[in-house]
Amino acid sequence: MSHFKQRIGKKRGVVGVIFRDEKLLIIRRSLTVTAPGKLCLPGGTIEKGETEEFALVREMQEELTIDVSPVRLVWRSVTPWGTTLAWWLAHLDADVTPVPNPDEVSEYRWMNSDDICAAREMLPSLPEFIQAVRAREVELDFAF
C-alpha cells in the first residue's frame, strides 16, 4: 500500500521545447521560486486532471504570456528530486515576443546548444536534455 501511495504521489511536470531560428527558448527563474536564478526551459507542474498538452499551454501562458501549440512529446526524464518530466516540442508563431511574468521568470533568451553548454547556473535537466539531443535520443527535425 505505501509503495502505491508513493508512486501516485510523485510530481509530474511538463517542459516546453520551443525553437526559433534553431535556437532554444531558455528562461532564468525569478528569485521568488524554487531554484531561484537558474536557467532552464519553461515549464511547470502538471495539475491533477490535466493532460500534458494542456499543462504545457497553461504554463507557457503563465510564465511567458505566449500561446503555443503542442507538437509532440520528444523526451521523458526524472529530476534528482523525483519529478517526472514530459518534454514537449511546441510551436510558437514567429511574430510572438515572450513577456516574462516577473513572479516566475526574470528573463528569457534564445540560445544554441553551444551557448547552453557554456552557461552556468542551470537546472541539471537542461544539460541532460542537450546530451540526449546530441546522442540522438531526442528526435528533432534539424540539427541542434
Side-chain angles (χ1 to χ4, degrees):
M1 182 76 147
S2 63
H3 176 69
F4 180 74
K5 281 184 178 179
Q6 182 181 15
R7 197 176 62 186
I8 293 296
K10 284 192 174 185
K11 287 180 72 172
R12 295 184 319 134
V14 66
V15 178
V17 180
I18 302 167
F19 287 95
R20 182 172 286 165
D21 299 324
E22 297 185 5
K23 291 185 177 183
L24 194 53
L25 178 60
I26 304 292
I27 64 167
R28 183 174 301 280
R29 299 169 65 83
S30 77
L31 297 179
T32 59
V33 298
T34 304
K38 299 288 187 189
L39 293 175
C40 61
L41 294 174
T45 301
I46 300 171
E47 303 294 339
K48 186 175 180 177
E50 285 185 330
T51 63
E52 292 174 356
E53 297 94 326
F54 185 89
L56 173 71
V57 170
R58 177 184 53 75
E59 284 290 343
M60 298 308 103
Q61 185 57 232
E62 287 177 7
E63 289 188 358
L64 296 165
T65 322
I66 56 176
D67 293 318
V68 300
S69 301
V71 176
R72 63 184 162 85
L73 178 71
V74 294
W75 197 52
R76 288 195 188 275
S77 67
V78 179
T79 66
W81 47 93
T83 300
T84 301
L85 297 178
W87 299 67
W88 275 81
L89 186 62
H91 173 76
L92 176 66
D93 287 339
D95 62 343
V96 173
T97 300
V99 178
N101 172 352
D103 292 336
E104 298 191 31
V105 177
S106 65
E107 67 174 316
Y108 76 92
R109 304 173 187 180
W110 295 98
M111 300 174 74
N112 65 33
S113 62
D114 290 338
D115 294 337
I116 294 167
C117 290
R120 299 191 187 282
E121 299 180 2
M122 66 184 89
L123 288 179
S125 59
L126 184 51
E128 290 171 10
F129 177 73
I130 298 302
Q131 282 183 319
V133 169
R134 288 181 169 175
R136 302 192 192 286
E137 295 170 22
V138 175
E139 186 178 321
L140 300 174
D141 297 332
F142 55 89
F144 176 66

